[in-house]
Amino acid sequence: MKEKTLADYKAMQERCCNCSYCKWIPLDKIKSNRFAYNCPANAYFKFNTYSARGRFQAGLAVANEELDYTEGMTQMVHSCLSCGACDVACKISRYNLEPLEHNIALKADVIEKGHTILAQKVMLNTLATEGTLIPNMKKADRAVWSEGLGFKDLAKEKAEVLFFPGCKYGYDKTLKETLRTTVSLLLNMEADLGVLGESEMCCGGRAWQMGFEKEFSKTADINISKIQKTGAKIIVTPCADCYHALKRLYAERGLTMEVLHVVEYIDRKVKEGRVTFTKPVNMTVTYHDPCHLGRQGAPFVPWNGTEKKIFNQIHTWEPRRPRNNGANGIYDAPRNILEAIPGIRLVEMERIREYSWCCGAGGGCGQSMPAYAEWVAGDRVAEAKSTATDALVTACPWCNGMLSKAVGKDGETMPVYDLLELVARAL
Amino acid sequence: MALVREIYKEFEEIVGIGNISEEPVVLETYRCVAAQSSAHYGPYDQRTPTPQAVLLPGSTEEVQKIVLLCNKHGIHFKASTTFWSAQGYIGSDNAIQLDMRRMNKIEVDAKNQLAIIEPYAIAAAIQAETMKHGMTCNIQGAGGSTSTLASTAGWQGPGPSSIFTGTNYDNMLSAEWVLPNGEILRTGSAGSGDGWFCGEGPGPSLRAIVRGVAGTAGDMGVCTKLAIKLSPWPGPTYLPSTGAPPSYKADLYENFKYYTLCFPTWEAWAEAVRMIHENRIIYIGHRQFNMFGCDMKGAMVNILSDPNKQLCDLPDLLEDEEIKKQTESMRIDVQVVIAGMTMLDMDYKEKALDEVLRMVGGWKNEMMLKPDIANWALLYLIRMGRKNLNYVYCGAYEGHFGLSRGNYFYSASLVEEASAIKREWEIKHNHMAAVGGNSSMGGLGGVGGGGGVSWEFFAHFDAHDKESIKGVCEYFNKTNQWMAQKGLGGCMGKLNESSRRPDGYNRSQEEFNKTFASTPQPEVFVYQWMVKDAFNPKKLSGSYYKTLDPKAFVEGSGAASRGVFI
Ligand SMILES: Cc1cc2nc3c(=O)[nH]c(=O)nc-3n(C[C@H](O)[C@H](O)[C@@H](O)COP(=O)(O)OP(=O)(O)OC[C@H]3O[C@@H](n4cnc5c(N)ncnc54)[C@H](O)[C@@H]3O)c2cc1C
Ligand code: SF4
Ligand code: SF4
């Protein structure tokens, strides 16, 4: 597959109209001044440069060889969380721009020209040597979490469902119990479950988000071949990043298997009447939509086309280009589950669904720019607290980690749960 | 040219590290690409000059210190907020750009029906905050993403709701300015410490000096805070909407209704608008969707209100017999929203609107009554949250003609002639989107406007296509000539050019002297020169405040003294 270069985006760079809509949630949805912003990079670093608009204009200057990468510019390029909030906002009115794609192409360009952040290098080294992007983790410890659970090893036997826990769930000791409980739940739901075991490795999605295209492609291709060989019918993952990588990025590279986030799987089982929540969980909660499950969670639709002008200058695509504008993300499944648990009342935040605010972990910034990422998470926590609910719930271990870290910073804590923890309590 | 290190340090001490930058990529992104979002300038295939630094002041005190430092070192400065258009960018090499984004507070004074706002409070957020108190604000035609303060203090600010809410210019109450010489001025009641409720006193009433009629586009210092008058909002405490992106729809009660009113002739259109204006029937009134072009609007409304459609559906939709019929039915139209403060009030407004239509032989377009389309349009017009649809076709547009000099009877009578000129160009050249010629749009005037319309035609072109940019620029030269012939003043597409040269730099005093010496009343510009000299002695801001050097003024030289009025 041919990767696009920055030069391929010149038309878009010149057609961005400087309207600044990429800095706000869709204006129709604004409910307050406090939570009107959508782009964490622009909100934190403040200069227009950091918005999708700034990135288009910067990218154009690079493509025209008018700007060289400096340290400051490198940091600017990598500060994009690849959260896609700008993409949704831009596409409210623009049908012929792809800001998120361009943000990542700019990252790929700066990397190609040799400019990275130190922490990224460490992450990528660990990917090469240990098969994970989490520094200090070892390949040998990958399957420790699953000891004694009695999984099928898909390298040796067949199963209908391939469970793909991802690095964060797999290595983070604080999440181990949640993961083990989840798997027990799935087994109780009569899932015919198997794992890749020791041969499992990182999905590489973060590498893609950071612009390391080659490293991502290599990882993805190895994984795809392993996954295809298992003969499983469905892949289920509890991680939003893995979900996005498997569902969209791997599909683009040829993976044909059905991919479900665990919340979709459970929602399906609830709808089929195979699962009923019996124990009440009495609390009010608010739900954080992970970017890669929500607005970036739509199925991949292949497209191989070109630009076509009609009526002199109206710019369209031929054939019709799929619009990844957040319309088809996974928003309802987690909410259906919350609704099905007796005693839970959901109170929504202001920025939800396709215009949700990122948790700060996106684009690897949680590791490469931790102070910034924590500020982003803090803004989400403040929004959650403004709902005056008992707890903040999410459906991604990375979001969970970022939000949990930020939650007590103002002296007032608020429990942060993975939705799976509440599911476990309700069964 | 970089700032001298000591001066950079001085600026940095004022705003703090992280709020000033001279990083090349930052400077580059604070240049206006004149082909992209020129808003009545060009379009040209170039950018405005590179600022020496970009500063993000966080308070009035910081702005004052910056301005004093600029005075000390002779550095030009310009404040801008959302950077929607060319006039907010610096226009010389020796200049710094102020981005006002750190100052974004909104304080609603519900009792006095006003809001005190800072520069980076955008209109959509102000509306959201005021709705919590049963009020709303005018959202100017450039939409919900623009700074209400910028157009109130520095520009004009008419919009679709101005017929009910007033324009931003009308709604300006007390304001706080850092003048170009660094002095702080509070106009109106705030100037005498009596609160923010009045623009004209008790306290200094210098509104006309600092913003004038047209707005000085950041040339008379930096407005740091101002109060705006609010209007009643008979809806919930937030703006409810449903649906998948991008086709969100309003979810309001029965006391809000959206209609596209259609007319058999332009005379009937003008007569209806007169009656609607005089009888205070509507909440929002704008000829809005014709900006997509008279041949396209039916199809475009179908695309925009349906999340599954795209621009590539245009050709098929244009062949659809029903859409053709509906598009034909709304060639001479206007979009309105009526809002009942009570259901009785609603009943009156519905009946009054029907009576107006009966009297002039008008009708309501059927397709636009479909709930999916009507609720989409209702949300669009209330929040003005999708005004970047101006750019939907190919990424750039420019307004032109601007039939705004006469009242609507005069302007309406010229629409077809202007449309024919545009249509001919669309057919002969491929510089702009061919949308049927007539792409006129605009409001129905302000509350006290006496029926002035502010129309413009849209030319949609491609900022990526050099021929398209050049061709549209040529076309505007032609429309400019036509405007002059018709006694309509300058063409909208050229509005900024009296202040900013085609190369993106400010006009010089010599150029101003040449231009304004022969205007009907050059004395006006000489007077403005004296004002500027008093408030802005070092002339450190831009060239949007137009002046004539008294030395270049020859008594009796004005066209008016020669009996010539252009
Ligand atoms: C697509 C489009 C449609 C438009 N439609 C309309 C319309 O319907 N009605 C209308 O009135 N205008 C319209 N305009 C022009 C628009 O009003 C101006 O561009 C402007 O007011 C937009 O506001 P902004 O928030 O982007 O301000 P900016 O572009 O940031 O600034 C506008 C001007 O105000 C000055 N300014 C900004 N902040 C300050 C400050 N703190 N103190 C002093 N001066 C300041 C700037 O220097 C600049 O000259 C349109 C422009 C565009 C691009
Ligand atoms: S990226 Fe999209 S939303 Fe942002 S300025 Fe460009 S066109 Fe507007
Ligand atoms: S992807 Fe997210 S962080 Fe990056 S520019 Fe867009 S909104 Fe900002």
Side-chain angles (χ1 to χ4, degrees), chain B residues 387-457:
Chain B
K387 205 54 196 103
N388 53 347
L389 278 174
N390 287 21
Y391 306 99
V392 66
Y393 285 149
C394 31
Y397 102 98
E398 183 52 275
H400 61 291
F401 286 130
L403 305 175
S404 46
R405 168 75 71 85
N407 68 24
Y408 35 64
F409 286 94
Y410 185 55
S411 318
S413 72
L414 292 169
V415 168
E416 292 305 330
E417 195 178 327
S419 303
I421 295 173
K422 179 158 181 270
R423 185 64 188 147
E424 193 187 337
W425 201 278
E426 287 177 4
I427 293 168
K428 274 199 190 149
H429 312 274
N430 71 348
H431 304 137
M432 60 175 112
V435 295
N438 188 346
S439 53
S440 60
M441 63 91 77
L444 303 187
V447 267
V453 287
S454 50
W455 280 8
E456 66 186 284
F457 277 57

Side-chain angles (χ1 to χ4, degrees), chain A residues 158-420:
Chain A
K158 297 273 173 228
E160 191 188 333
V161 180
L162 161 57
F163 185 73
F164 194 94
C167 301
K168 181 71 173 162
Y169 253 129
Y171 285 115
D172 192 328
K173 291 197 179 81
T174 63
L175 299 173
K176 189 172 159 191
E177 271 322 298
T178 309
L179 182 60
R180 287 175 68 87
T181 317
T182 305
V183 170
S184 309
L185 288 177
L186 298 177
L187 291 168
N188 286 342
M189 287 172 202
E190 293 162 32
D192 178 19
L193 219 59
V195 283
L196 289 171
E198 277 171 13
S199 74
E200 183 191 296
M201 61 178 198
C202 176
C203 67
R206 272 289 149 78
W208 177 85
Q209 292 172 29
M210 290 190 287
F212 290 92
E213 284 178 347
K214 287 194 190 93
E215 290 79 354
F216 164 71
S217 307
K218 198 172 148 198
T219 311
D221 292 344
I222 297 171
N223 275 333
I224 290 170
S225 117
K226 270 190 228 161
I227 291 170
Q228 298 280 40
K229 271 191 209 138
T230 64
K233 292 208 180 91
I234 308 174
I235 311 178
V236 174
T237 177
C239 171
D241 265 24
C242 295
Y243 171 80
H244 172 259
L246 295 162
K247 175 112 176 173
R248 293 193 54 82
L249 306 178
Y250 283 22
E252 192 176 358
R253 307 186 77 80
L255 182 74
T256 49
M257 224 172 268
E258 184 180 19
V259 178
L260 294 177
H261 188 277
V262 70
V263 293
E264 288 178 284
Y265 189 77
I266 297 173
D267 182 41
R268 235 184 228 188
K269 297 288 167 196
V270 173
K271 283 190 182 131
E272 287 167 5
R274 310 268 290 272
V275 176
T276 319
F277 301 116
T278 49
K279 295 187 198 145
V281 181
N282 292 318
M283 61 168 84
T284 53
V285 300
T286 193
Y287 175 72
H288 165 77
D289 288 279
C291 307
H292 290 87
L293 177 64
R295 62 178 155 251
Q296 293 192 55
F300 170 73
V301 181
W303 181 77
N304 188 8
T306 48
E307 169 187 325
K308 182 186 177 195
K309 280 187 176 179
I310 55 175
F311 304 104
N312 289 352
Q313 290 294 350
I314 300 180
H315 172 197
T316 63
W317 308 101
E318 188 174 61
R320 164 188 294 269
R321 185 173 180 157
R323 292 199 84 209
N324 296 312
N325 66 344
N328 300 310
I330 308 301
Y331 311 110
D332 292 334
R335 288 176 171 81
N336 292 344
I337 296 172
L338 286 170
E339 204 175 301
I341 298 177
I344 286 195
R345 191 167 70 86
L346 172 68
V347 180
E348 296 280 13
M349 287 184 268
E350 288 185 21
R351 295 174 291 192
I352 52 167
R353 299 174 76 95
E354 69 272 13
Y355 51 97
S356 181
W357 177 260
C358 178
C359 71
C365 291
Q367 283 130 302
S368 61
M369 299 183 190
Y372 155 53
E374 275 174 38
W375 177 88
V376 177
D379 203 58
R380 190 55 162 170
V381 166
E383 189 175 353
K385 286 181 179 168
S386 76
T387 62
T389 49
D390 301 325
L392 170 56
V393 181
T394 186
C396 173
W398 292 101
C399 300
N400 193 342
M402 280 311 302
L403 298 170
S404 299
K405 223 190 263 180
V407 83
K409 286 270 155 74
D410 62 357
E412 268 178 55
T413 192
M414 179 183 204
V416 180
Y417 295 115
D418 192 306
L419 180 49
L420 295 169

